[in-house]
């Protein structure tokens, strides 16, 4: 994924009619750079200036390092500025460019750094120079081995520092999360120092301190990589490149002069920090206390946002006389216990440790404590400085936690016996947080922009922030949040403006002005929750008449605006002809509108500042004059407050879920296909070297494919039975195909020959014409096949089309009525009809092309807009140890009758069912989660429904083979489920033979409809509970379930009951659900359901 956005927030290079000069362009590059713009030269970074923590950290690393190794995921841009400085030849503090090496994030990738430091050719004059890594927290697991070796060799190594952005992606929540816990554990295990910055303003100082700390021990500087690391703000107290080097040398010299050989590490660290504060005039501590001077309760924190908000909230509450405090851990390793105890107020009776743990399960697991909790408890274990010892509670939170003033206050409330405030604002409910605001709205103006990320105005907020920053008397901060999983990608940008320095690492909750760039967002988010009382809402609605506006607004939105006493404005760019003709001008119009609505007294000055950043004075003047055509004030009636909103509807989130640093790349560059005659292919075949021709089996497929031949195809159920389950076996021949137990065979099926011929006749195609299609793997490689081959093997013309096909087909419709109907089917108004077509009528691509004859795309367009055929995967029902030259499948034919009375079939099952012995088939192999346990003596407990028995046939064959080799094998419990024994006892004779041979220990057959009461596999399992306890729990067996999803809860309940019964018999307490999760992690509870 890469950032795909207009290079300018204004129009393209060609100037529009009107302005005399080309418009200035606002070039967006990365959220890691100030206002997202291009990084400035290294020598130009000096305070006060606008910057990001990420840029300042790179400045320190580049200036003071001999070499810089970076491990930045593609879209994180952790090293963007440093790479540019290296490319431009910018010298470091030692007079030469720091070699910036961007590394792959994989095992062993850090070995090059170790090899460089300890190579025979290493220049020993550089031994005192720091070697530096810039990385994100997930990278550390790949660097661990090298860091461990470095720790062991540190006495003869260069000073080493890693600047780590605490950011990872959580698949469970589909969001970016702040990860400290993995780095905390690594620092503890490898003996690294670990220091944290708590704001953008501290980032340069703490990066410098961590580099100095590397003179004592290998060090890590960690900082919030999700929000704070990328927030643009005005930083005043920081040094330029020369100042950094001077400070580094002076502090290092002073600290070394004070140290003695007998000093322990704690003493050296304390002296280093003292020298650091003395040189910079700062007051950093190893621990820092904030709040009431004699608190009853203290919250201990570690982390950027946690520490920053904790300090601010505690200080705010202390002003109201509440005896609460926060003790921030600045240096986590080494954890200087005596300093921690010295700073902890003697009045403290209760300590809460705000400790991050790996996941949400660890939060609820009483047996798990946070790493920070262990350090705090250990500090009291051998100390008598506080008597009596305060109570210590572990307030655990997962990486997914997003901290706000309200949630920090809620954490503080957990350690206070009385309410923190008179209201319920600390409880985290809908009313919460309205009283607990850390920014005074009288001195700070706040603006929120919501928009789709492909909007012409998506960059307008950053332009506006950059323009506001031209006023030297104000401090501006901007932060952006991308949610690429909503409406194809949205972006929210927060801007704060204040005369004072701003440190607010949380989303705006009291905006003076709220801009919403797409009315669809009103249905997805409670956008008005971020508006302050009496604030203004600017809503973009294009081409809407006044009498239609209220109808288009959700009732919840109307009520919220009225309740907040908000003013409502509608922004309609189509009202101005100049913008309607050139959508690129919309961003300038929005900037103008925002000034008029949000800062009406500063419109003239503001337009000049905007023109200095982008556009031109003439275009802004012209748009300002005509703005009234695009800006309407909408009356907010009093009766909106009393509107009834459906209380059963789920409450909407007020903030997007940040899951990317870049906009979603919506471009699909599908290379065109061409129709050629046979001569084109003949030339390629005749002159292979000249045309670089390569013959390949299914070159359109990314997976390795093989040709096998049908060896056997027999029906397992009676001909009179309504379900056709068949066994098909393939001769591998000399194909070289290898497969493992539990894997699946991918069948690259072909369409029905008769249907293809019928479509070719209907669509008037030449079946012998050659289609030349660029490869999906490499567009420079052209693949050739005939129209007949393409329809038989590649184009899923008889598959079910998605909505986007209707939308794409509408572009080819000549008949207005057909065009309208196709567009309707692809939109919200046709949702029910589309669902009926897909689920009831089971309409195919070919059906639609027949239904809408005026929409007649060419064949190369059909190749582009119709999905390619996918392979169908089936669990392998054989073991290659037993049948080395064949592979078997067990398949049920999928068939139904549509509302028109037509027989319909699953494409792959019909293809396979019709195959005759000797027929060639293209196949590939897919790995699976269905793997045997590592020991042959571990029991197997298998439950299969219908064709879900297929992999278990392979399992049993393998165990039989092991037994024949003289190996001891564990017990095998096989539970099978189907409707009738007479018709569906598939492979029944085989199972009974294996049971007689002592391979299968227990055969639990559940034929649900052979008796008055229905019996399912879970019933058979419950009847043999003792066997399951013995095999599964006593003998460390593995459980497998294959088949449909419906029995999963019931089968799992049986296993949980077995776990509970076994624990009770042993006198133990256990949580069966957690035990199942543990077994799942050990691959002893495996599901393959569909």
């Amino acid at each position: 994924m890469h950032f795909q956005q207009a290079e300018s927030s204004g129009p393209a290079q060609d100037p529009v009619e009107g302005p005399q000069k080309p418009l200035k362009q606002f070039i967006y590059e990365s959220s890691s750079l100030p206002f997202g713009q291009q990084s400035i030269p290294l020598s130009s970074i000096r305070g006060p200036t606008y910057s990001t923590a990420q840029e300042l950290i790179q400045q320190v690393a580049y200036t003071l390092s001999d070499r810089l190794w970076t491990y930045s995921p593609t879209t994180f841009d952790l090293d963007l500025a440093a790479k540019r400085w290296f490319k431009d030849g910018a010298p470091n503090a030692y007079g030469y460019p720091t070699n910036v090496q961007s590394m792959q994030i994989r095992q062993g990738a850090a070995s090059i750094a170790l090899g460089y430091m300890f190579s025979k050719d290493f220049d020993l004059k550089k031994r005192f120079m720091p070697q530096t890594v810039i990385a994100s927290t997930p990278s550390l697991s790949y660097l661990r081995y090298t860091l461990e070796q470095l720790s062991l060799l540190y006495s003869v190594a260069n000073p080493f520092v890693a600047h780590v952005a605490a950011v990872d992606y959580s698949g469970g929540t589909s969001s970016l999360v702040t990860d400290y816990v993995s780095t905390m554990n690594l620092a503890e295990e490898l003996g690294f120092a670990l220091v944290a910055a708590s704001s953008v303003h501290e980032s340069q100082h703490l990066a410098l301190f961590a580099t100095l700390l590397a003179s004592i021990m290998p060090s890590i500087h960690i900082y919030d990589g999700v929000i704070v690391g990328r927030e643009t703000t005005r930083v005043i107290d920081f040094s330029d490149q020369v100042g950094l080097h001077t400070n580094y040398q002076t502090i290092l010299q002073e600290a070394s002069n004070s140290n003695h050989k007998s000093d322990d590490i704690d003493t050296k660290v304390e002296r280093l920090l003292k020298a650091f504060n003395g040189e910079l005039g700062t007051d950093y501590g190893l621990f820092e206390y904030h709040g009431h001077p004699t608190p009853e309760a203290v919250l201990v924190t570690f982390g950027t946002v946690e520490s920053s908000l904790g300090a601010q909230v505690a200080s705010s509450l202390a002003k109201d006389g509440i005896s609460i405090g926060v003790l921030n851990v600045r240096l986590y390793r080494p954890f200087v216990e005596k300093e921690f105890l010295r700073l902890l107020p003697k009045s403290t009776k209760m300590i809460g440790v705000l400790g991050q743990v790996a996941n949400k399960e660890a939060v609820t697991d009483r047996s798990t404590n946070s790493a920070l909790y262990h350090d705090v408890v250990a500090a009291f274990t051998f100390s008598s400085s506080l008597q009596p010892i305060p109570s210590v509670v572990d307030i655990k939170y997962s990486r997914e936690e997003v901290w706000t003033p309200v949630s920090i206050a809620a954490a503080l409330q957990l350690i206070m016996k009385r309410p923190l405030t008179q209201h319920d604002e600390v409880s985290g409910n809908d009313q919460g947080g309205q009283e607990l605001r850390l920014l005074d709205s009288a001195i700070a103006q706040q603006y929120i922009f919501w928009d789709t990320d492909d909007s012409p105005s998506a960059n307008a907020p950053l332009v506006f922030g950059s323009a506001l920053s031209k006023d030297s008397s104000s401090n501006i901060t901007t932060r952006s949040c991308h949610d690429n999983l909503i409406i194809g990608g949205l972006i929210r940008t927060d801007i704060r403006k204040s005369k004072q320095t701003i440190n607010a690492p949380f989303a705006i909750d009291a905006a003076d002005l709220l801009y919403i760039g797409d009315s669809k967002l009103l249905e997805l988010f409670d956008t008005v929750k971020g508006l302050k009382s009496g604030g203004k809402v600017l809503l973009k609605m294009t081409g809407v008449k006044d009498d239609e506006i209220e109808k288009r607004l959700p009732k919840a939105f109307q009520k919220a605006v009225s309740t907040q006493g908000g003013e409502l404005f509608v922004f309609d760019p189509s009202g101005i002809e100049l913008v309607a003709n050139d959508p690129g001008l919309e961003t300038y119009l929005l900037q103008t509108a925002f000034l008029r609505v949000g800062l009406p007294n500063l419109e003239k000055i503001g337009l000049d500042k905007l023109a200095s950043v982008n556009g031109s004075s003439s275009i802004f003047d012209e748009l300002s004059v005509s703005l009234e055509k695009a800006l309407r004030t909408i009356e907010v009636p009093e009766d909106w407050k009393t509107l009834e909103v459906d209380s059963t509807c789920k409450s909407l989130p007020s903030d997007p879920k940040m899951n990317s640093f870049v906009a979603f790349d919506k471009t699909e560059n599908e290379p065109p296909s061409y129709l050629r005659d046979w001569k084109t292919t003949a030339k390629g075949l005749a002159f292979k070297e000249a045309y670089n021709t390569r013959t390949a089996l299914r070159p359109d497929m990314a997976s390795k494919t093989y040709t096998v031949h049908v060896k056997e195809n027999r029906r397992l159920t009676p001909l009179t039975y309504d379900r056709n389950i068949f066994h098909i076996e393939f001769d591998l021949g000399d194909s070289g195909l290898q497969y493992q137990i539990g894997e699946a065979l991918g069948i690259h099926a072909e369409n029905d020959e008769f249907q293809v011929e019928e479509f070719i006749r209907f669509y008037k195609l030449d079946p012998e014409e050659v289609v030349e299609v660029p490869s999906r793997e490499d567009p420079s490689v052209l693949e050739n096949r005939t129209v007949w081959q393409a329809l038989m093997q590649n184009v899923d013309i008889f598959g079910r089309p998605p909505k986007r096909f209707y939308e794409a087909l509408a572009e080819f419709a000549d008949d207005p009525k057909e065009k309208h109907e196709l567009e309707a089917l692809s939109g919200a108004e046709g949702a029910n009809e589309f669902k009926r077509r897909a689920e009831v009528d089971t309409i195919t691509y070919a059906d639609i092309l027949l239904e809408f004859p005026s929409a007649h795309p060419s064949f190369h367009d059909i190749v582009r807009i119709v999905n390619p055929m996918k392979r169908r995967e089936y669990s392998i029902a054989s073991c290659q140890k037993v049948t080395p030259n064949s592979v078997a499948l067990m398949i049920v034919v999928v068939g139904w009758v549509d509302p028109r009375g037509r027989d319909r079939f699953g494409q792959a099952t019909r293809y396979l069912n019709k195959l005759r012995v000797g027929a060639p088939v293209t196949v590939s192999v897919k790995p699976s989660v269905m793997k045997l346990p590592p020991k042959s003596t571990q029991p197997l407990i298998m439950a299969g429904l219908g064709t879900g028995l297929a992999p278990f046939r392979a399992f049993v064959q393998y165990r039989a083979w092991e037994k024949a080799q003289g190996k001891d094998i564990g017990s095998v419990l096989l539970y099978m489920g189907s409707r009738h024994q007479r018709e569906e006892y598939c492979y029944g004779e085989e199972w009974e033979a294996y049971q007689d041979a002592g391979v299968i220990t227990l055969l639990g057959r559940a034929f649900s409809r052979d008796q008055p009461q229905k019996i399912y596999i879970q019933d058979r399992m419950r009847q043999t509970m003792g066997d399951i306890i013995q095999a599964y729990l006593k003998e460390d067996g593995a459980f497998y379930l294959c088949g449909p999803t419906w029995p999963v809860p019931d089968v799992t309940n049986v296993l949980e009951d077995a776990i509970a019964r076994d624990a009770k018999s042993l006198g133990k307490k256990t949580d069966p659900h957690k035990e199942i999760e543990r077994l799942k992690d050990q691959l002893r509870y495996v599901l393959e359901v569909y």
Side-chain angles (χ1 to χ4, degrees):
M1 190 186 298
H2 65 278
F3 190 84
Q4 186 69 32
Q5 180 124 276
E7 287 197 350
S8 166
S9 60
Q13 292 285 351
D14 296 332
V16 299
E17 184 179 350
Q20 300 301 312
K21 298 179 180 178
L23 302 178
K24 291 189 184 74
Q25 292 187 0
F26 179 90
I27 308 292
Y28 181 90
E29 188 165 359
S30 169
S31 62
S32 68
L33 301 174
F35 300 111
Q37 293 182 281
Q38 186 174 351
S39 60
I40 62 176
L42 180 63
S43 59
S44 299
I45 298 180
R46 53 172 57 91
T49 192
Y50 282 90
S51 189
T52 64
Q54 198 61 57
E55 185 180 55
L56 293 175
I57 289 165
Q58 290 175 81
Q59 180 217 17
V60 175
Y62 190 95
T63 297
L64 300 178
S65 303
D66 169 45
R67 286 206 177 188
L68 179 56
W69 289 274
T70 64
Y71 300 85
S72 174
T74 306
T75 60
F76 284 21
D77 292 339
L78 302 179
D79 55 357
L80 192 62
K83 288 193 293 188
R84 181 160 296 147
W85 297 330
F86 175 52
K87 181 180 178 182
D88 294 343
N92 59 18
Y94 314 110
Y96 58 87
T98 299
N99 191 327
V100 180
Q101 292 185 264
S102 183
M103 310 297 293
Q104 294 179 343
I105 302 175
R106 58 174 178 80
Q107 293 290 354
S111 300
I112 187 173
L114 205 62
Y116 171 72
M117 283 189 276
F118 293 100
S119 69
K120 295 180 180 179
D121 300 327
F122 183 76
D123 186 353
L124 295 179
K125 294 178 182 178
K126 295 182 178 181
R127 183 60 76 195
F128 68 92
M129 298 180 185
Q131 308 294 337
T132 304
V133 160
I134 291 178
S136 60
T137 41
S139 310
L140 295 181
S141 61
Y142 297 98
L143 310 182
R144 182 187 175 93
Y145 176 77
T146 300
L147 296 180
E148 187 174 7
Q149 297 302 306
L150 176 65
S151 181
L152 296 172
L153 299 169
Y154 202 66
S155 60
V156 291
N158 286 68
F160 175 84
V161 59
H163 302 286
V164 177
V167 54
D168 195 3
Y169 185 82
S170 168
T173 59
S174 300
S175 63
L176 292 169
V177 297
T178 307
D179 178 13
Y180 295 110
V181 63
S182 59
T183 308
M184 294 169 77
N185 291 334
L186 182 138
E188 162 67 15
E189 293 164 6
L190 301 188
F192 274 55
L194 179 59
V195 61
S198 60
S199 73
V200 182
H201 307 279
E202 296 178 356
S203 57
Q204 190 201 54
H205 287 172
L206 271 297
L208 173 60
F209 180 71
T211 309
L212 288 160
L213 199 56
S215 65
I216 301 172
M217 60 194 300
S219 67
I220 298 174
H221 166 225
I222 196 166
Y223 56 96
D224 174 71
V226 179
I227 298 171
V228 177
R230 315 179 88 82
E231 183 179 78
T232 297
T233 194
R234 191 184 191 200
V235 185
I236 297 173
D237 184 17
F238 76 100
S239 305
D240 60 11
Q241 192 177 17
V242 174
L244 269 177
H245 189 219
T246 301
N247 291 335
Y248 178 77
Q249 289 182 312
T250 303
I251 297 167
L252 205 59
Q253 184 63 43
E254 183 176 343
S256 62
N257 290 341
S258 304
N259 287 333
H260 305 285
K261 289 184 178 181
S262 59
D263 291 340
D264 59 17
I265 287 180
D266 289 2
T267 302
K268 291 179 180 179
V269 169
E270 289 180 290
R271 284 177 178 160
L272 179 67
L273 184 59
K274 182 179 179 181
F276 182 83
N277 285 327
E279 177 66 18
L280 298 183
T282 53
D283 191 27
Y284 293 110
L286 304 180
F287 305 90
E288 295 167 2
Y289 178 78
H290 305 271
H292 198 278
T294 56
E296 299 174 21
V298 171
L299 185 70
V300 180
T301 68
F302 177 78
T304 303
V305 176
E306 294 87 333
S307 296
S308 175
L309 284 180
Q312 293 181 61
V313 172
S315 299
S316 176
L317 293 172
K319 289 178 182 178
D320 295 332
I322 298 173
S323 55
I324 194 87
V326 167
L327 186 57
N328 293 337
V329 178
R330 171 76 66 187
L331 185 70
Y332 177 69
R333 281 292 178 272
F335 194 93
V336 184
E337 294 178 358
K338 66 176 183 178
E339 183 65 8
F340 173 80
L341 295 171
R342 185 185 72 80
L343 281 178
L344 186 69
K346 301 296 185 287
S347 59
T348 306
K349 297 177 181 178
M350 172 69 77
I351 294 176
V353 179
L354 197 64
Q356 190 182 80
V357 290
N359 49 49
K360 293 180 180 178
E361 287 73 23
V363 173
T364 57
D365 186 353
R366 293 184 180 181
S367 65
T368 301
N369 289 113
S370 67
L372 186 57
Y373 172 82
H374 287 297
D375 287 301
V376 173
V377 170
F380 292 110
T381 302
F382 302 105
S383 172
S384 59
S385 61
L386 282 180
Q387 293 295 333
I389 295 176
S391 299
V392 183
V393 296
D394 196 3
I395 304 174
K396 297 181 289 183
Y397 67 97
S398 68
R399 305 183 312 159
E400 290 79 10
E401 185 74 42
V402 178
W403 291 105
T404 65
V406 172
S407 58
I408 287 289
L412 289 167
Q413 183 66 80
L414 293 174
I415 56 174
M416 287 293 290
K417 294 181 179 179
R418 57 190 177 86
L420 293 179
T421 67
Q422 298 300 315
H423 304 287
D424 194 25
E425 67 268 12
V426 299
S427 64
N429 61 20
D430 288 344
Q431 287 75 39
Q434 299 306 308
E435 302 297 327
L436 187 62
R437 289 211 174 94
L438 303 181
L439 285 178
D440 185 352
S441 59
I443 60 172
Q445 291 79 54
Q446 303 181 94
Y447 313 107
I448 301 175
F449 293 78
W450 291 81
D451 213 341
T452 56
D453 60 20
D454 57 357
S455 164
S457 305
N459 284 339
L462 296 177
V463 176
F464 194 72
S466 181
L468 290 175
S469 72
K470 304 300 179 185
D471 179 4
S472 60
S473 65
S474 296
N475 294 289
I476 309 299
T477 67
T478 65
R479 53 172 285 195
S480 296
C481 172
H482 285 277
D483 188 339
N484 288 348
L485 303 179
I486 300 292
I487 61 173
L490 69 83
I491 181 172
R492 169 175 159 165
T493 303
D494 288 10
I495 299 178
R496 289 182 167 102
K497 176 177 180 288
S498 175
K499 298 294 183 184
Q500 300 178 1
T501 298
I502 301 171
N503 181 18
F506 54 91
I508 291 174
D509 59 1
D512 295 85
L513 196 152
L514 169 67
Y515 171 71
I516 305 163
D518 193 322
S519 58
K520 293 177 184 176
L521 295 169
L522 304 180
E523 303 279 0
L524 301 169
F525 293 93
D526 183 3
T527 54
V528 183
K529 192 171 184 180
L531 187 70
K532 79 173 186 180
S533 180
K536 299 175 181 178
V537 179
L538 181 60
L539 174 62
K540 178 183 174 182
M541 299 182 80
T542 304
V544 180
K545 298 178 181 178
D546 288 348
D547 58 354
E548 297 176 347
I549 290 176
E550 186 171 347
K551 299 175 185 176
R552 297 271 295 273
L553 298 176
K555 288 184 179 180
F557 173 79
Q558 296 177 35
K559 185 172 184 175
V561 172
S562 182
T563 302
Q564 284 291 86
E567 298 178 58
L568 180 61
F569 301 84
V570 165
F571 174 62
D572 183 1
S574 66
I576 297 179
E577 185 178 358
L578 183 65
V579 179
N581 293 334
D582 185 354
L585 295 175
E586 182 182 316
T587 185
Y588 305 128
L589 185 65
L590 173 60
Q591 294 163 38
T592 307
F594 194 85
L595 273 176
R596 183 164 299 179
V597 176
L599 299 168
N601 298 328
L602 300 175
E603 183 174 341
K604 177 56 181 171
I605 298 173
L607 290 175
D608 291 339
K609 293 185 183 299
L610 286 170
S612 70
V613 177
N614 74 148
S616 68
S617 296
S618 57
I619 193 64
F620 278 112
D621 289 341
E622 186 174 352
L623 293 174
S624 178
V625 170
S626 54
L627 180 60
E628 61 183 25
K629 298 177 183 177
L631 191 63
R632 286 176 276 175
T633 303
I634 306 301
E635 180 187 356
V636 180
E638 278 294 315
D639 60 5
W640 279 11
K641 290 181 180 178
T642 59
L643 287 173
E644 292 188 8
V645 180
D646 188 354
S647 59
T648 62
C649 291
K650 187 178 180 181
S651 60
L652 299 175
S654 57
D655 297 306
K657 190 178 290 185
M658 188 167 184
N659 45 48
S660 180
F661 294 126
V662 299
F664 177 59
D665 182 5
K666 302 175 183 65
T667 57
E668 294 184 10
N669 297 318
E670 184 73 22
S673 61
Y674 308 94
L675 288 178
R676 303 289 178 88
D677 58 24
W678 63 270
K679 297 175 184 177
T680 305
T681 305
K683 289 177 183 177
L685 292 174
F687 307 103
K688 290 184 178 182
E689 292 185 5
Y691 285 88
N692 197 22
T693 302
R694 179 173 59 87
T695 303
L697 175 65
R698 297 302 295 271
D700 53 312
M701 299 294 178
S703 55
K704 181 174 175 56
T705 53
Y706 307 85
T707 297
V708 296
H709 294 81
V710 177
K711 180 179 180 181
E712 181 183 6
N713 190 347
R714 61 184 169 91
R715 181 166 175 149
L716 298 175
T717 54
L719 290 171
T720 55
Y721 191 52
D722 60 355
R723 298 188 79 213
N724 178 4
I725 301 176
F726 64 98
H727 169 94
I728 187 167
E729 196 163 338
F730 301 101
D731 183 357
L732 302 182
D734 58 358
S735 65
L737 187 149
Q738 299 284 325
Y739 63 92
Q740 302 298 321
I741 294 291
E743 290 186 329
L745 192 69
I747 301 294
H748 302 273
E750 296 182 355
N751 278 320
D752 182 72
E753 185 174 342
F754 174 76
Q755 286 185 311
V756 169
E757 290 174 349
E758 195 176 48
F759 179 79
I760 287 175
R761 283 195 299 271
F762 147 67
Y763 216 72
K764 298 180 174 58
L765 294 171
D766 179 357
E768 300 304 320
E769 215 162 7
V770 175
V771 189
E772 192 175 73
V773 184
S775 167
R776 292 177 182 271
E777 301 297 313
D778 182 0
S780 66
V781 177
L782 298 176
E783 301 166 0
N784 289 272
R785 60 186 68 88
T786 65
V787 168
W788 167 265
Q789 285 177 315
L791 287 171
M792 284 292 294
Q793 300 176 348
N794 302 89
V795 183
D796 196 16
I797 198 70
F798 304 112
R800 297 185 189 181
K803 275 191 176 183
R804 64 175 179 272
F805 176 72
Y806 291 90
E807 183 180 8
L809 191 62
E811 298 178 9
F812 298 96
D814 296 329
D815 185 325
K817 184 178 178 181
E818 290 188 0
K819 185 180 184 69
H820 175 74
E821 188 174 352
L822 286 166
E823 289 173 343
L825 285 166
S826 66
E829 61 180 301
N832 291 334
E833 173 62 13
F834 172 80
K835 186 176 181 181
R836 184 187 65 79
R837 285 167 164 264
E839 299 178 5
V840 180
D841 296 343
T842 57
I843 296 294
T844 68
Y845 290 99
D847 292 332
I848 297 171
L849 291 169
L850 181 63
E851 182 182 355
F852 298 95
S854 79
H856 196 88
S858 64
F859 189 73
H860 71 262
D861 281 319
I862 286 179
V863 171
R864 180 175 59 85
I865 65 177
V866 175
N867 286 338
M869 288 165 62
K870 297 179 180 178
R871 71 175 179 180
R872 275 28 174 215
E873 292 146 2
Y874 302 94
S875 295
I876 294 174
S878 59
C879 167
Q880 200 164 20
K881 293 281 188 185
V882 177
T883 57
N885 297 316
S886 66
V887 60
L889 303 177
M890 179 188 185
I891 297 170
V892 60
V893 174
V894 179
W896 69 97
V897 179
D898 71 10
R900 301 183 191 179
R902 297 178 297 180
D903 289 326
R904 293 296 182 99
F905 298 94
Q907 183 243 7
T909 58
R910 176 166 69 170
Y911 165 74
L912 288 169
N913 188 48
K914 291 170 62 178
L915 290 174
R916 297 292 175 257
V917 173
V921 181
T922 302
V923 299
S924 55
V925 177
K926 182 194 175 187
S928 169
V929 295
M930 303 286 281
K931 298 182 185 300
L932 285 168
K935 298 179 182 178
S936 61
T937 53
Q938 286 181 266
L940 305 179
I941 303 97
M942 303 171 289
L945 278 78
T947 55
L949 283 171
F952 303 141
R953 183 173 183 259
F955 279 25
V956 173
Q957 284 184 356
Y958 184 77
R959 277 292 165 92
W961 177 83
E962 285 186 311
K963 183 173 179 145
Q965 303 301 308
K967 293 183 179 180
D968 293 332
I969 62 170
S971 55
V972 175
L973 284 63
L974 177 62
Y975 298 91
M976 62 179 66
S978 59
R979 299 175 187 174
H980 303 284
Q981 179 171 2
R982 181 177 176 181
E983 287 83 7
E984 286 189 68
Y985 188 22
C986 299
Y987 302 124
E989 292 181 358
E990 284 188 31
W991 305 132
E992 292 174 7
Y994 283 126
Q995 188 175 31
D996 292 341
V999 177
I1000 294 180
T1001 312
L1002 186 152
L1003 194 56
R1005 294 163 290 195
F1007 302 106
S1008 60
R1009 302 182 186 181
D1010 277 354
Q1011 58 281 315
Q1013 76 282 6
K1014 291 187 177 179
I1015 297 177
Y1016 299 107
I1017 54 170
Q1018 60 265 28
D1019 301 316
R1020 294 300 186 210
M1021 290 174 66
R1022 200 170 289 280
Q1023 290 168 2
T1024 55
M1025 182 73 79
D1027 297 283
I1028 290 176
I1029 291 174
Q1030 180 65 32
Y1032 195 30
L1033 304 175
K1034 305 289 187 186
E1035 299 174 8
D1036 294 331
F1039 173 79
Y1040 305 87
L1041 173 64
C1042 185
T1045 57
W1046 65 262
V1048 171
D1050 295 322
V1051 168
T1052 304
N1053 284 339
V1054 175
L1055 297 179
E1056 289 178 348
D1057 288 348
I1059 292 167
R1061 187 182 299 184
D1062 182 53
K1064 185 177 180 180
S1065 70
L1066 297 173
K1068 295 181 179 179
K1069 288 185 178 180
T1070 188
D1071 183 335
H1073 176 70
K1074 288 183 179 177
E1075 186 64 15
I1076 288 290
E1077 291 300 315
R1078 185 184 69 82
L1079 291 165
K1080 189 182 297 183
D1081 291 339
Q1082 294 178 354
L1083 300 181
R1084 291 177 55 206
Y1085 173 87
V1086 181
L1087 306 181
E1088 188 166 275
V1089 293
Y1090 37 83

